[in-house]
Amino acid sequence: MKKRKFLRGFTRFRLMLTLGLAVVLPAAALIYVNFSQLRSFKRDKVLEATIHRDFQEMLAISEKKIDKKAFTMAEEARDLFPSPDTNAQEKEAKLDALLTKSPWLTHAFLFDEKGFVIRSQPQQLGDEYVRKEHERMAESFRGWFGMEAKMLVEQLHKKTRPINFYPDQTKRADGPAYLATAFFVLPQLSKDRAVLGGVCFDPNYLKKTFFPGMLEEIVNQKLSDQSGNQIAIMIYPAEYEGRPEMKPIAVSSGWGDGKPEVARKFDDVFRGLALGIKFQGTSVEALGQSWMHRSFLILGILSLLIIGGLVLTKHIVSKEMALARLKSDFVSNVSHELRTPLALIRLYAETLELRRISTPEKKQEYYRIIRKESERLTALINNILDFSRIEAGRKEYEFRETNIAELVHNTLDSYRYQIEQQGFAFEENIDSDLPAVRVDREAIARALVNLVNNALKYSNDEKFLGVKLYGANGSVKLEVVDHGIGITRREQSKIFEKFYRTGDPLVHNTKGSGLGLSLVRHITQAHGGDIAVESTPGKGSKFTLSLPLASAPQQPNVAAS
Ligand code: ADP
């Protein structure tokens, strides 16, 4: 017994160890690793850094796009430039024509060996700022080119697109303005000629048309980053960067207000200006935080699910183990139960055969024992057969109108002798006026026999058996009462499960298969009734079987489920 207990404990321990090592540990490790990874993501602001990298990239691409457009515009202007080898009037006329065709330019100039010609948009010359600018440009470019034209031409010829941009601060009526000047060599001329042409982009055009248009185009093309959040970009004077008075020159729609998340200074065409980028309506930090929250929440839910799954698995495995144990107990119980009556039958039959018994009373007694033991065997085998039919879903019942009082009385009659022999006080209380009930007689008799047998088996000193049959609330009730060992409240619901036997020592020392009550329950349920138990440990038990009077099954055969 001790060894078996130890073995069971060991198997359980092994199973728990397997569950622990194979499932709980990896699951816990997975949860832990995920949590710590998320925490380090949070600490190192990994998401924010990734978005910032993306933003850097977007700004680099945007700058290239803007530069490309400015280069193309400068090249288009260059193609309309006069040849240096014409006279001054022709040059002026050609430059004027160029300005008329390109209203986005404010000035256009040509420097060659003969001198310097600069022309400005006539309708803008009414503005004193433009006039002053015209003079300033004429002076500074003339001077500069006069000294360095040769070197500049040389430098320009080395570039794939021989155009240089020169940034300048200027002024307009509404405040400081950004002036971008492109100067270039004329491609049709030979490399050793110190000829330079140039155009100045109208600051108003840059601010009101060129930059906004470019920004809009970029934002429309790359409306959102991978996470689906819309971006906005802007252009502002680089030297104001970070200062509260920083005034954007141009913004894409949806910029709202606030600082850029990432900035990039132009380093070729529009030097002195910078590009800024951010999300529309949210910040990278807020995004990172909400992503973190979401991830923690999802991980939390997943962890709970894993824990729930583990608990469920443990529960199911324990249940299966308990069932397996019950089954193995069942096999040993049944073998034991078969062996005892068989041994007795053999012993008494052999004794009779050898004619060792002299008195007829003794003989009678031996016959009775043989009959009783074979009845016990039959009852046990019937139980097992019924049980296996039920398990296989093949059990069928044969319902017939029955005088239930008579059925109960007759069934008890064949046990009366045995009951009294065992020293039981037997109280039979049968209401004989009950209406006929449709039942399977054999099954009901078997249920009653099982209940009576249990009452006899599980009684110690106080030997009492009461059987009562009466009608109540549209049903027939059959009560089997004993003053035996009783059943704890916890075990009362379990005793109807197959193979279940309580932990009471008397139960262990008593033969049994643990099938009787599960059969009783099945039989009553097949009749549309139910079985209940009331019991106090040490005081006794009362099993009440109820069969409905009216709604008893009408069909002759009901396949059991
Ligand atoms: P068996 O009697 O073959 O063990 P049953 O299914 O008839 O199987 O009963 C299941 C268990 O319920 C018994 O092992 C016993 O522990 C408990 N039990 C049944 N009837 C009684 C009773 N009248 N008094 C105390 N315990 C009982």
Side-chain angles (χ1 to χ4, degrees), residues 169-171 175-178 207 234-249 259-260 263 265 272-274:
Q169 281 285 344
T170 184
K171 269 195 180 152
Y178 181 85
K207 183 178 167 149
M234 71 131 146
I235 290 177
Y236 62 101
E239 57 267 36
Y240 286 146
E241 190 184 348
R243 298 209 205 135
E245 73 266 26
M246 180 185 74
K247 257 180 131 178
I249 292 179
K259 279 181 22 176
K265 287 183 183 174
L273 298 186

Side-chain angles (χ1 to χ4, degrees), residues 333 337 450-451 454-459 482 484-487 495-497 499-504 507 510-519 535 540-541 543:
N333 283 339
E337 252 201 288
N450 267 304
L451 292 178
N454 281 350
L456 301 186
K457 281 198 294 190
Y458 305 120
S459 290
D482 64 56
I485 57 169
I487 305 149
I495 52 173
F496 297 101
E497 287 169 15
F499 308 128
Y500 190 85
R501 308 194 77 208
T502 62
D504 194 284
V507 173
T510 311
K511 286 162 250 158
S513 56
L515 290 183
L517 286 181
S518 98
L519 272 181
S535 184
S541 318
F543 285 86

Side-chain angles (χ1 to χ4, degrees), residues 400-408 430-439 469-477 547-552:
R400 270 188 283 162
E401 293 282 334
T402 305
N403 181 337
I404 184 99
E406 209 178 285
L407 174 67
V408 171
I430 295 178
D431 180 355
S432 48
D433 293 336
L434 288 171
V437 191
R438 284 182 68 83
V439 295
L469 181 77
Y470 59 98
N473 308 331
S475 61
V476 175
K477 298 215 184 267
L547 297 174
L549 268 178
S551 61

Side-chain angles (χ1 to χ4, degrees), residues 424 455 458-464 481-487 506 535-541:
F424 271 82
Y458 305 120
S459 290
N460 263 338
D461 312 323
E462 198 160 336
K463 297 184 185 260
F464 169 83
V481 181
D482 64 56
H483 292 173
I485 57 169
I487 305 149
L506 178 70
S535 184
T536 317
K539 291 244 163 67
S541 318

